[in-house]
Amino acid sequence: MSEQAEQQQAQQPDAQVIAAQDVAQVDGEDKVEEQQEAATLPPVTIQFPSPTCSRTVPKPTEPSEPRDRLTVYPQPSETVQDIKLLINDWIGAYWLGPYSLRLPFVKGSDGRGIVYTKKEDLSEIRAGEKLNEWLEIQDAFAHIEEDGERTLEVVREPYGEFTARQSVLRLLELIAPVGSTATTTSTSLALQAGSTIFESVRDGVLSSSGETQYEEVEVSLPSGRKGKGGKKELVKVKRAISNEKSHAFSDWTGDSSTSTKLADLPFSQSPLEILPCLKSIQISPFNPPPPHLRQLGHQLYLQVALLEGETVTIICTTRGWFVSKSNVNQFDPAPKSENTAPTHSLIDLLHFLSPLFSERISKLSPLSVEPPSLDPISTVAIPQAEPAYPWLANVPKPATSAEMLRTQLAFLHTGAYGADNVDAARDWNEEIQGIRELPRSTMQERVFREKMLQKIWAEFDQAAVRAVQTVSRGDIPAINPSEDPKAHMYLQSNIFITQGDSDALNAYGHLGGDAAMRISHGKDAVGVKLLNKIDIDGLYMLGHTIVDWQGKRWICQSILPGIFSNRRKEDDDEEASAPTAEESEGQKKEDWVKVGDSPKSSKGDEADKSAEIEVSAEVDGESENPMMIYGLDSEKPTSIHWDRTTHKLMSQIGQALRLAAHKVKDGKGEEFEFYASSEVKGLKGTDGRRYLLDAQRLSLVDIEWLEKDYINENGTYPHRLALLRPELLETFWESELKRWARGVADKAQAKKNDEASKEAGPSTAEKSEEAPTADAEAPKEEQSPAAEAAAAHRAEEEKPLDASVVGDIKQFELKFNPDAFVDQIPPKDGESDQSFLPATINDESDPSVKAVRDASVFLRSIAIPAVVLDVLTGNTTGLMDGASLTKHLHGRGINMRYLGHLASTIKQFSAGSDGEERKETGHLATLKTIVIQEMIFRASKHILRSLIANLQPETTTFAISHFLNCLLGTSYNPSPTSSFTPIGVSEREDIPEYTKLTPESLRKSIFEEIQSRYRFSLEESFFEEGLKKRQLLRELAVRFGFQLAQREYLFDKDQEAVSGNEDEKEGKKDKKAKKTKVPSVKRAHTFEPEDVLTLVPIVKSTAPTVTVAEEILEAGRNTINRGSVDLGLEFMLEGLQLYENIHSVIHPAVAAVYNQYSQAVHQLARLKIQQVAAAAQQEGSNTDPDQPLGLDISTALRLQRQAIIIAERTLGVYHHETAGYYFNLAMLENLEGNAQPALRYFRHVLKLWDIIHGPDHAEINVVLSNAGVVLQAINETGLALALQKQAYESTLSLFGDAHLQTGQSLHQLTQSHFLAADMASALSTSEKALAIFNSRLGEDHAQTKEVKKNVDLLTAVMNNVEKQKERNEQMKKESQERLKAAKERLSLGSNVAGKRRLGSTLNGAAGPNGVRIVDPATLAAAAAAAGHPIDVNGQAPATAATTDGGAAAAEGSNVGARGTESVEDLVRFIQGQQVPSASAARRGKNALRGKRRTGAKR
């Protein structure tokens, strides 16, 4: 164990990281122990009552499956509520109304059930009495022996209004499942929310154009009528069908210039078509029950139209449901059948009333015995994540449908009939802070707490979006109507809403005004998210969400308790000493606060309060903001508040974020100590809690940017709020730690060497100096000086350290001063013309101030070149668009304002070894294109936002369409015209700014924005030559937030001509369609206002990641790295289950961890395959190559499929992460030997790349190459060769003919040529690859040696083939001569002798060197009879299978004369394999050899 610890410390000299890993491992082990305990809990039998109607519960197919009882195997920690959720989804209990679970009744001495258990909270568990829903199952049966029988009874409960409404909602869930055609009550923010196409891709029902293929099938259903009308009805429904193709690439043309049409892109699969179980269902207009009937138990009236044609009014009482004598117009509460008792279950009653209801609901879950056609995860509602909205959508036809229940859902959920009955809005702040105060001492408590936190944050985000839309429409009046409209504040649903991009109060005037305010609120949200993750006990954060909507940024926060009351007190009560009525009210509030406050020490509170009052009075006198207790007062910049208790809590934040304690002076010169910036404010609410605000100053100032880039030749940067990201500080801290450790190790080593040299003499010193040169590095590809410097720094950082000489890591200290270099606010009455005053804390002799400068320098000199180096060397993958680039740069701590610097660094890395400027190629060319495209997108976003910020919603579509025409449609119409229709409410309506926009002015504005924001001069030719219009359109729609109508947008005239020709061809193919087709009208512009369907809100949440699940997942990874694979995978599965529990499955974070687990399994499988192959090649090895891998591939496949569905529904169908998940799934399917699904996914990945990035990306070639490997596995060698050729040609155009990447592609192409039996081409490509590897890697490199073996072997094969051809020619010549001689003999009458001599010559003839010559036709016939067919030229047919790496064996073929090896042996020799044993030759198609095909490298 100690050796492992030393190795771990040597690899990562970070004690805090190691400690966290150890803690996570212990937590994970505890979790595994809990799971082992769960397996020992005995089963529990649940008994159910019988329904009234016999059709309600279907009869079991087997006697062993009773419907009146259910046996469950609960875990000890599961509660009664968890068991009830399980019961509700069971086929025998789906129909139940309100019920409770009880232990079987056993009469006690007092006449009630006997008491089994008395708990510490004085609650009792009695026989026959209702069990508490939060009671754990193990506690309910604590009185029963381990082998005793455990039974629970389901007992019906009386109805209330709430349970009546819940019964109606439960019925809707059953008969109108989400994702089906029966769902008519959804009201989403945009069109086609949370759609997925995975199952269509998986089943191959999408054509190559992207359209789903359908067929009509007839389904017979009973009509529900009696007599003659009772015959079966034939209903035609559409069913998606799979394409009748052998595989997904059978129609591959290889033309990369043709892109998928936007009009044909699939964005959602068709909803599940189900037949309605009821004609309609709605809340009866006779509601609410009058008082005298409510006294009789009436709860709810329901109006239901049955399929049989009858409309009934159903009354719910406390005893159940019954049909009344009421009709649509007249109310009569009397039962329709006088002698019939109420039915307790609404579903049971509907079964009794409507046989057709029973027939159709039996086809739905959970009654249907057939598996659902769609995975439930693809149709259920998304509970805790924002659904993805496709950027292209189809307008529903009809636009909407009549559904009375849609307007009644609010009543069903709230029970409010009118505005006067609506309950008060939720107190979001109290809910959030109350959950934060839940206990978290055990694993179970932590999981429950985080689950509730994620739930409340998700609900707050959804409420914030609705509130912002309400405010934006003008439905809510401002709470400060007399102030500037830009400074208006709103209160909606207990959410405080302000504008986040208009500095009406000039609070950010010294930093840049509106631009600085927008950035400040974004950084504030980042700081709140960081503090939520740190989760310091005693410090509270408000609920905080940012919503970007219709060009404006809205800040949504929960209400700080007392914030409005204090303002009112300040306005109304100028003299603090005067007693008023509000004092008594405040006293009442204080009393209420003490009761509801979390438990604290009263003495401590008094001491803290006295300290607070003392400091505040001493510093401020009369406080402008009596709630503020800590930090710099924004209203009085010279005043500082300070509180001892808050300071202690802030010290924990300082330790977590590595912030240094520092002194800040107030206006009187008095110093106060802070950890965070003094601008981070602490406020004490009337609830007694301490809240932190203005968290943007937790980030450090990027002083290098302010000094070098704020003002330069490109103009002035829009604002001075340039801050460093937290990820950069973490990276910089780790880099400095390694540098410090190297320094300590070098000093220790030098000291050790000096001592050794004194003892052993000078020879030892010389030896030690020569030691480093013994490990000579292999030759590397020629690089620019910038790339060489970055690579040298990387090599220096990754140099291994001797942990034994480093010593105690706690000696290293690096902390930052967050107040360093912060601009100061100038005095309002000052005479200075400066907009800001220089920072007062700038003394770099202070290590904490110098660290801020060093971090800023590190960002420019190390972090940015490291990103480019990783892209250059291929270590970074998946950069497809601006969103993926943004996520990657933010993860590396690089702000997006450095895009211009990143582009300049790419240019430096592309230079020659002598520094000569060269054009970018390969990965760098792709990266630069994405960087420039992202700069154009961001500049366009800023311009578009300013254009639509103050427009009415109906005018916004005109502005967006005209903007898109000026940006993307100039090749189709160089002079687009704008349109504007005044609303007509005023005679003096201002003409909007967008009407003045022209392509020229827009381009000029984009150039200026890029120069100003990114310090980069864009070439004017890029708009004509390099701009990817379709990709930029997708980015604008997705990231700015609007949906376009799905159609083919014409970006140039050539596209219009092609589109017209294709329409004409389609019209000729389908005459019927031609007759009904509406003639298309030529469009004047690429985009029209009606193409912009709706805007979509962009939400930035502050919900942090799940820490408890992250710890266990990280423990699993560390355990795998230590060699315990099975235990590590078990830990990872435990982490997955926690993610599912906390996030309710459908969440992007769950999809990400699913993908991580599947990737881990895939990498482990490939590693094991390589180990088995290496062991099998050793002489005398008894290793069985067919042995199982010992990994659960099927679970990895299932999780990866679910990851794709979740990603499509929450991130988007055409999202860069979705594309990566599809690629990983294709590799996993190939690993399992599922070639057909793998090819479908590879084909879909290529389509995703085409839409997201476009052509000419190096990773597209990886996809093509892997698809070619799979095609080789199914003997499609010709098509595989075509894909490999296309990959090679694309690689050649990207990287040039002398790049290592081109050599790799040639090496892959060599194997494809060889499998296609084209030896000449195989030799030619192999020689080209050898030349590249020789020049780049040197002759001694392992890969060069491998390619050289191939060249030598192929040369020998070709020589033998040439010799064989010469022999064939010689044999043919001799045969012709003998035939000529035979003809001459025949003319002389000696036919028989001639034939005999000819035959003897053929059988006994020998060529030169004693080699017997055989007739080619005779050889082919003999080979065919032996089961090894060859053609007449002696070559094997192209029917070989592949192995790992893309090579394969053409079994049994013989090339050349006697003494040469078979082609099978030659292939094995090329791959470095030995001749297989007899057992290996008898492998099955699912054996290891088949799985080893998947070894293609990504």
Side-chain angles (χ1 to χ4, degrees):
M1 191 67 183
S2 59
E3 294 179 358
Q4 293 180 356
E6 290 179 2
Q7 293 174 1
Q8 184 77 7
Q9 189 176 4
Q11 294 173 358
Q12 175 57 271
D14 190 343
Q16 296 182 2
V17 173
I18 296 173
Q21 293 171 355
D22 292 338
V23 170
Q25 184 180 8
V26 171
D27 290 342
E29 291 172 352
D30 293 342
K31 192 71 180 175
V32 173
E33 290 176 3
E34 289 180 10
Q35 184 181 9
Q36 292 173 352
E37 291 178 5
T40 63
L41 192 68
V44 177
T45 301
I46 304 172
Q47 297 178 352
F48 300 95
S50 299
T52 304
C53 180
S54 60
R55 296 190 303 269
T56 301
V57 176
K59 295 180 180 179
T61 55
E62 298 181 5
S64 60
E65 299 177 359
R67 296 288 191 249
D68 61 344
R69 61 184 180 275
L70 174 66
T71 301
V72 297
Y73 297 86
Q75 295 184 3
S77 59
E78 285 188 328
T79 62
V80 172
Q81 187 183 46
D82 297 328
I83 301 299
K84 292 182 71 173
L85 293 175
L86 180 65
I87 290 173
N88 294 339
D89 293 331
W90 185 54
I91 187 173
Y94 76 97
W95 58 275
L96 290 171
Y99 66 91
S100 62
L101 292 178
R102 309 188 181 198
L103 296 172
F105 180 73
V106 178
K107 189 174 181 180
S109 58
D110 56 355
R112 298 169 58 188
I114 63 174
V115 178
Y116 289 129
T117 308
K118 283 190 178 182
K119 303 188 70 177
E120 295 179 359
D121 57 358
L122 304 180
S123 61
E124 297 177 340
I125 298 177
R126 283 181 176 265
E129 294 194 3
K130 181 179 178 180
L131 295 177
N132 182 5
E133 298 214 345
W134 296 104
L135 178 68
E136 293 185 355
I137 292 298
Q138 60 181 356
D139 294 337
F141 296 106
H143 62 283
I144 298 179
E145 299 294 334
E146 185 175 350
D147 55 349
E149 183 179 356
R150 287 163 169 76
T151 304
L152 290 175
E153 294 179 349
V154 171
V155 179
R156 297 183 177 100
E157 294 289 334
Y159 275 92
E161 185 191 283
F162 175 77
T163 52
R165 290 187 280 109
Q166 290 299 312
S167 296
V168 178
L169 293 172
R170 170 62 176 164
L171 175 63
L172 292 177
E173 289 179 4
L174 291 174
I175 65 174
V178 180
S180 67
T181 53
T183 305
T184 56
T185 57
S186 61
T187 54
S188 59
L189 296 175
L191 300 173
Q192 299 178 8
S195 56
T196 175
I197 62 171
F198 169 74
E199 285 160 313
S200 300
V201 176
R202 178 197 64 193
D203 300 334
V205 299
L206 291 177
S207 64
S208 58
S209 63
E211 296 179 346
T212 307
Q213 306 297 318
Y214 296 99
E215 65 177 355
E216 283 193 350
V217 296
E218 291 185 345
V219 179
S220 61
L221 292 170
S223 63
R225 305 185 196 131
K226 298 180 180 179
K228 293 182 179 180
K231 295 181 180 179
K232 300 266 185 176
E233 295 182 35
L234 292 178
V235 182
K236 289 186 176 181
V237 297
K238 287 183 178 180
R239 183 176 67 188
I241 57 174
S242 176
N243 293 327
E244 295 180 357
K245 300 187 296 185
S246 59
H247 54 78
F249 283 84
S250 59
D251 60 346
W252 180 260
T253 60
D255 187 5
S256 60
S257 61
T258 58
S259 299
T260 307
K261 286 187 174 182
L262 295 181
D264 297 335
L265 286 181
F267 279 92
S268 62
Q269 54 197 12
S270 299
L272 183 64
E273 294 200 12
I274 63 173
L275 296 172
C277 300
L278 298 169
K279 278 189 177 180
S280 67
I281 179 173
Q282 66 183 49
I283 304 301
S284 172
F286 297 122
N287 280 292
H292 67 288
L293 293 180
R294 185 175 292 278
Q295 187 66 34
L296 296 178
H298 286 213
Q299 305 295 336
L300 185 70
Y301 303 144
L302 200 63
Q303 184 174 303
V304 178
L306 305 176
L307 292 175
E308 286 78 3
E310 183 182 5
T311 301
V312 296
T313 299
I314 303 177
I315 295 178
C316 177
T317 68
T318 53
R319 294 185 296 163
W321 304 79
F322 65 89
V323 179
S324 70
K325 293 182 178 180
S326 307
N327 56 33
V328 176
N329 299 316
Q330 186 175 359
F331 179 72
D332 186 352
K336 193 172 185 180
S337 301
E338 295 181 0
N339 298 326
T340 304
T343 304
H344 189 264
S345 168
L346 173 62
I347 299 172
D348 193 13
L349 178 60
L350 292 175
H351 275 287
F352 179 79
L353 296 175
S354 173
L356 197 51
F357 174 85
S358 301
E359 180 71 25
R360 293 191 174 180
I361 200 175
S362 64
K363 306 293 183 184
L364 304 178
S365 177
L367 279 72
S368 176
V369 295
E370 298 180 359
S373 57
L374 297 178
D375 192 328
I377 203 174
S378 66
T379 57
V380 298
I382 303 175
Q384 292 185 16
E386 188 71 18
Y389 301 99
W391 60 284
L392 294 179
N394 292 315
V395 179
K397 296 181 181 179
T400 185
S401 59
E403 177 57 76
M404 183 64 69
L405 197 60
R406 191 185 305 122
T407 61
Q408 298 174 342
L409 284 177
F411 162 73
L412 287 175
H413 286 286
T414 65
Y417 289 102
D420 55 337
N421 294 328
V422 176
D423 295 333
R426 297 173 64 177
D427 189 343
W428 292 105
N429 190 71
E430 186 59 34
E431 287 190 42
I432 293 173
Q433 314 311 339
I435 294 173
R436 285 179 58 92
E437 291 172 348
L438 289 174
R440 44 178 164 172
S441 57
T442 65
M443 175 66 69
Q444 183 180 355
E445 289 175 348
R446 290 182 64 192
V447 171
F448 178 76
R449 180 176 178 273
E450 292 207 14
K451 180 178 181 179
M452 297 304 295
L453 280 173
Q454 293 294 334
K455 181 177 182 294
I456 191 65
W457 274 319
E459 292 172 352
F460 180 80
D461 292 343
Q462 295 169 5
V465 172
R466 293 192 298 267
V468 164
Q469 291 182 327
T470 304
V471 169
S472 180
R473 288 193 301 264
D475 298 342
I476 303 298
I479 60 177
N480 55 339
S482 60
E483 297 185 13
D484 188 338
K486 292 183 178 181
H488 279 175
M489 298 178 288
Y490 304 88
L491 193 61
Q492 169 68 6
S493 302
N494 272 341
I495 299 177
F496 185 59
I497 302 172
T498 57
Q499 296 186 42
D501 48 10
S502 56
D503 186 24
L505 302 179
N506 198 31
Y508 295 87
H510 65 296
L511 297 175
D514 292 352
M517 185 177 187
R518 183 181 179 89
I519 294 298
S520 174
H521 283 297
K523 295 296 183 182
D524 185 21
V526 173
V528 171
K529 188 172 184 177
L530 186 62
L531 291 174
N532 281 334
K533 185 172 183 179
I534 297 174
D535 201 6
I536 302 298
D537 190 17
L539 281 179
Y540 297 87
M541 308 301 299
L542 297 174
H544 193 122
T545 299
I546 293 179
V547 180
D548 291 337
W549 172 245
Q550 291 190 344
K552 292 184 178 180
R553 170 160 288 185
W554 299 90
I555 311 304
C556 307
Q557 294 174 309
S558 61
I559 300 175
L560 178 66
I563 187 69
F564 296 119
S565 61
N566 276 319
R567 290 291 179 186
R568 287 195 297 269
K569 185 176 181 180
E570 180 184 353
D571 294 339
D572 300 340
D573 205 8
E574 295 181 0
E575 296 182 3
S577 60
T580 63
E582 291 194 5
E583 277 192 17
S584 59
E585 183 183 351
Q587 183 64 36
K588 292 179 182 178
K589 287 183 180 179
E590 185 65 29
D591 294 341
W592 172 80
V593 166
K594 289 180 180 178
V595 173
D597 199 3
S598 57
K600 296 177 184 176
S601 170
S602 58
K603 293 183 179 179
D605 285 345
E606 292 175 2
D608 296 339
K609 188 173 181 181
S610 62
E612 173 193 332
I613 292 175
E614 180 183 353
V615 174
S616 298
E618 193 174 324
V619 176
D620 299 323
E622 294 181 1
S623 175
E624 296 268 345
N625 189 351
M627 294 183 66
M628 187 169 178
I629 60 174
Y630 192 78
L632 188 68
D633 196 332
S634 301
E635 299 177 2
K636 293 181 63 178
T638 58
S639 299
I640 290 181
H641 302 260
W642 197 86
D643 171 52
R644 184 176 293 105
T645 303
T646 307
H647 187 64
K648 285 182 180 179
L649 296 173
M650 292 300 294
S651 66
Q652 300 179 45
I653 293 179
Q655 184 177 3
L657 300 180
R658 302 186 178 96
L659 303 179
H662 58 283
K663 302 287 185 179
V664 177
K665 293 183 179 180
D666 64 355
K668 299 179 181 179
E670 189 172 352
E671 290 186 341
F672 294 89
E673 186 181 70
F674 290 93
Y675 287 94
S677 171
S678 58
E679 295 186 16
V680 179
K681 301 173 180 59
L683 281 80
K684 190 172 184 179
T686 55
D687 57 356
R689 300 185 179 106
R690 288 172 166 81
Y691 295 87
L692 288 186
L693 273 67
D694 294 347
Q696 66 270 18
R697 280 301 183 184
L698 289 175
S699 302
L700 308 181
V701 174
D702 187 358
I703 183 60
E704 288 287 304
W705 179 272
L706 294 181
E707 291 181 353
K708 298 180 179 178
D709 290 302
Y710 178 67
I711 298 178
N712 62 13
E713 65 276 5
N714 291 320
T716 304
Y717 193 63
H719 60 86
R720 290 186 60 83
L721 199 63
L723 305 176
L724 299 175
R725 295 188 62 85
E727 298 90 344
L728 178 83
L729 301 183
E730 191 67 26
T731 305
F732 174 65
W733 189 88
E734 292 178 359
S735 175
E736 289 298 297
L737 172 63
K738 292 177 182 178
R739 190 169 68 85
W740 171 83
R742 283 195 303 273
V744 173
D746 291 344
K747 290 180 181 178
Q749 188 64 38
K751 183 178 180 181
K752 186 177 179 181
N753 292 341
D754 290 342
E755 294 176 354
S757 60
K758 292 177 181 178
E759 296 178 1
S763 59
T764 307
E766 293 174 4
K767 200 178 216 180
S768 62
E769 290 176 3
E770 295 174 358
T773 62
D775 220 2
E777 295 184 359
K780 295 182 180 179
E781 190 171 352
E782 179 184 346
Q783 300 289 358
S784 66
E788 291 289 349
H793 182 271
R794 174 71 57 81
E796 181 68 20
E797 274 203 338
E798 294 179 352
K799 191 179 295 184
L801 290 173
D802 185 2
S804 61
V805 300
V806 172
D808 187 5
I809 201 174
K810 294 181 180 179
Q811 297 176 3
F812 172 74
E813 183 175 354
L814 176 63
K815 293 187 177 181
F816 308 95
N817 187 336
D819 277 319
F821 308 111
V822 175
D823 295 334
Q824 302 298 306
I825 303 176
K828 296 180 181 180
D829 54 351
E831 300 179 355
S832 174
D833 296 334
Q834 294 182 351
S835 59
F836 66 93
L837 296 180
T840 57
I841 302 178
N842 53 14
D843 183 8
E844 297 188 25
S845 61
D846 183 349
S848 63
V849 177
K850 180 65 164 55
V852 176
R853 167 79 69 178
D854 292 342
S856 184
V857 173
F858 177 84
L859 170 58
R860 291 168 169 263
S861 59
I862 303 298
I864 294 178
V867 169
V868 182
L869 179 65
D870 285 339
V871 173
L872 176 65
T873 56
N875 293 329
T876 297
T877 59
L879 297 182
M880 306 172 68
D881 60 351
S884 57
L885 176 67
T886 301
K887 182 178 180 180
H888 180 70
L889 292 182
H890 283 174
R892 304 284 287 262
I894 299 174
N895 308 81
M896 300 311 290
R897 62 176 174 271
Y898 280 96
L899 284 175
H901 286 266
L902 183 61
S904 302
T905 306
I906 294 171
K907 189 175 182 180
Q908 296 173 6
F909 272 59
S910 302
S913 58
D914 54 355
E916 180 185 358
E917 187 174 327
R918 295 181 184 176
K919 186 178 180 181
E920 298 83 3
T921 60
H923 294 295
L924 294 184
T926 304
L927 177 62
K928 186 174 182 180
T929 302
I930 297 175
V931 169
I932 295 178
Q933 186 101 349
E934 177 67 4
M935 285 192 281
I936 293 176
F937 158 74
R938 288 178 172 267
S940 303
K941 183 179 69 171
H942 288 298
I943 297 170
L944 180 58
R945 188 176 64 240
S946 64
L947 291 176
I948 71 170
N950 299 311
L951 298 180
Q952 291 293 328
E954 57 267 31
T955 311
T956 303
T957 60
F958 292 86
I960 294 176
S961 60
H962 181 61
F963 175 84
L964 293 177
N965 285 324
C966 293
L967 179 64
L968 304 174
T970 53
S971 297
Y972 182 79
N973 185 347
S975 302
T977 57
S978 62
S979 57
F980 169 64
T981 303
I983 298 177
V985 296
S986 173
E987 296 180 356
R988 296 184 302 170
E989 287 191 42
D990 296 332
I991 303 299
E993 286 295 322
Y994 79 86
T995 58
K996 306 173 186 177
L997 191 69
T998 64
E1000 292 76 18
S1001 64
L1002 176 59
R1003 234 169 242 200
K1004 181 181 178 182
S1005 299
I1006 290 176
F1007 284 132
E1008 292 174 353
E1009 283 284 333
I1010 292 176
Q1011 285 181 340
S1012 171
R1013 292 183 179 274
Y1014 308 111
R1015 300 321 198 202
F1016 185 79
S1017 298
L1018 183 65
E1019 299 177 2
E1020 295 186 4
S1021 60
F1022 187 85
F1023 273 93
E1024 303 298 335
E1025 300 173 0
L1027 187 65
K1028 297 181 178 181
K1029 297 182 179 181
R1030 295 204 321 168
Q1031 285 70 28
L1032 182 57
L1033 175 64
R1034 186 192 70 85
E1035 292 256 29
L1036 279 169
V1038 172
R1039 299 170 65 187
F1040 187 84
F1042 57 84
Q1043 285 183 313
L1044 296 171
Q1046 186 168 8
R1047 54 179 298 276
E1048 192 61 29
Y1049 293 99
L1050 305 177
F1051 296 104
D1052 52 50
K1053 295 289 185 181
D1054 297 337
Q1055 190 179 358
E1056 180 185 20
V1058 173
S1059 178
N1061 294 335
E1062 291 180 354
D1063 290 343
E1064 184 178 352
K1065 291 179 182 178
E1066 291 178 1
K1068 291 180 180 179
K1069 289 180 182 178
D1070 193 349
K1071 294 181 180 179
K1072 185 176 179 181
K1074 189 175 181 180
K1075 289 179 182 178
T1076 59
K1077 188 176 181 180
V1078 179
S1080 60
V1081 180
K1082 183 178 179 181
R1083 296 165 67 97
H1085 302 92
T1086 302
F1087 302 93
E1088 300 293 344
E1090 57 268 20
D1091 292 332
V1092 183
L1093 301 180
T1094 182
L1095 269 68
V1096 182
I1098 304 298
V1099 181
K1100 301 180 186 298
S1101 177
T1102 58
T1105 54
V1106 183
T1107 55
V1108 60
E1110 278 182 347
E1111 291 171 3
I1112 295 182
L1113 203 66
E1114 186 64 25
R1117 298 192 197 100
N1118 295 332
T1119 306
I1120 292 175
N1121 292 335
R1122 293 170 185 166
S1124 301
V1125 174
D1126 295 336
L1127 183 59
L1129 292 176
E1130 192 173 354
F1131 278 169
M1132 292 189 73
L1133 283 175
E1134 286 293 326
L1136 296 187
Q1137 293 175 5
L1138 290 182
Y1139 270 101
E1140 294 172 345
N1141 185 13
I1142 294 172
H1143 285 303
S1144 298
V1145 180
I1146 307 178
H1147 194 280
V1150 178
V1153 296
Y1154 280 172
N1155 181 65
Q1156 292 176 23
Y1157 178 83
S1158 300
Q1159 273 191 310
V1161 171
H1162 183 217
Q1163 293 171 1
L1164 290 170
R1166 288 183 56 183
L1167 182 63
K1168 287 197 173 186
I1169 289 173
Q1170 294 172 3
Q1171 291 173 350
V1172 170
Q1177 290 179 8
Q1178 296 178 0
E1179 295 185 5
S1181 174
N1182 296 325
T1183 304
D1184 182 11
D1186 294 334
Q1187 62 178 313
L1189 296 177
L1191 295 170
D1192 191 358
I1193 309 276
S1194 60
T1195 298
L1197 278 171
R1198 176 178 58 83
L1199 293 176
Q1200 189 67 24
R1201 293 172 188 140
Q1202 292 183 355
I1204 291 176
I1205 296 176
I1206 296 172
E1208 286 184 338
R1209 299 195 65 195
T1210 57
L1211 298 175
V1213 173
Y1214 297 94
H1215 191 271
H1216 64 272
E1217 290 188 26
T1218 306
Y1221 295 170
Y1222 265 110
F1223 181 82
N1224 294 336
L1225 177 60
M1227 298 296 289
L1228 266 175
E1229 293 281 8
N1230 193 21
L1231 177 69
E1232 190 69 357
N1234 304 328
Q1236 298 292 351
L1239 289 174
R1240 291 193 196 109
Y1241 299 139
F1242 278 133
R1243 185 71 184 268
H1244 187 65
V1245 170
L1246 291 173
K1247 181 187 295 184
L1248 294 177
W1249 272 98
D1250 178 48
I1251 298 301
I1252 298 174
H1253 177 271
D1256 302 329
H1257 195 290
E1259 291 185 44
I1260 298 178
N1261 305 329
V1262 177
V1263 180
L1264 289 171
S1265 179
N1266 281 283
V1269 171
V1270 180
L1271 286 170
Q1272 291 171 357
I1274 59 174
N1275 295 331
E1276 289 281 356
T1277 53
L1279 188 54
L1281 179 60
L1283 288 177
Q1284 297 290 1
K1285 281 184 177 179
Q1286 185 175 348
Y1288 164 68
E1289 291 168 0
S1290 176
T1291 305
L1292 183 64
S1293 64
L1294 285 172
F1295 294 93
D1297 58 359
H1299 197 275
L1300 275 176
Q1301 201 83 13
T1302 307
Q1304 298 283 0
S1305 184
L1306 282 168
H1307 182 54
Q1308 198 79 4
L1309 184 60
T1310 300
Q1311 300 177 12
S1312 296
H1313 277 305
F1314 185 82
L1315 293 173
D1318 188 355
M1319 302 299 169
S1321 299
L1323 178 59
S1324 175
T1325 55
S1326 188
E1327 288 175 343
K1328 291 179 182 177
L1330 180 61
I1332 294 174
F1333 288 133
N1334 269 330
S1335 62
R1336 295 298 186 190
L1337 301 178
E1339 296 182 357
D1340 297 330
H1341 196 273
Q1343 198 161 5
T1344 307
K1345 293 179 180 179
E1346 180 185 352
V1347 176
K1348 191 173 185 308
K1349 284 183 182 179
N1350 294 350
V1351 172
D1352 295 341
L1353 191 54
L1354 287 169
T1355 303
V1357 171
M1358 287 301 299
N1359 290 337
N1360 287 329
V1361 171
E1362 290 297 327
K1363 290 180 181 179
Q1364 183 66 30
K1365 286 183 179 179
E1366 292 176 1
R1367 294 174 187 137
N1368 289 341
E1369 290 295 330
Q1370 182 180 357
M1371 181 178 64
K1372 185 177 180 181
K1373 182 177 180 181
E1374 292 178 357
S1375 298
Q1376 289 175 351
E1377 292 176 355
R1378 288 193 294 273
L1379 184 59
K1380 182 179 180 181
K1383 287 181 179 180
E1384 292 176 355
R1385 294 190 185 93
L1386 284 173
S1387 62
L1388 298 175
S1390 54
N1391 295 339
V1392 177
K1395 286 181 183 179
R1396 185 165 50 246
R1397 278 192 295 271
L1398 180 61
S1400 62
T1401 304
L1402 287 173
N1403 291 331
N1409 301 326
V1411 178
R1412 185 164 58 92
I1413 299 174
V1414 184
D1415 180 77
T1418 306
L1419 178 61
H1428 305 292
I1430 60 174
D1431 59 14
V1432 294
N1433 294 323
Q1435 294 185 354
T1439 58
T1442 75
T1443 59
D1444 189 15
E1451 298 191 7
S1453 301
N1454 293 310
V1455 179
R1458 184 179 60 196
T1460 62
E1461 299 183 51
S1462 67
V1463 176
E1464 184 177 12
D1465 295 337
L1466 294 179
V1467 175
R1468 291 195 178 92
F1469 181 72
I1470 290 176
Q1471 297 176 339
Q1473 300 178 5
Q1474 291 187 349
V1475 178
S1477 61
S1479 62
R1482 293 191 296 267
R1483 298 170 184 158
K1485 64 180 181 179
N1486 293 325
L1488 184 60
R1489 174 184 173 186
K1491 294 180 180 178
R1492 202 173 295 160
R1493 299 170 185 158
T1494 63
K1497 295 181 179 179
R1498 177 171 177 177

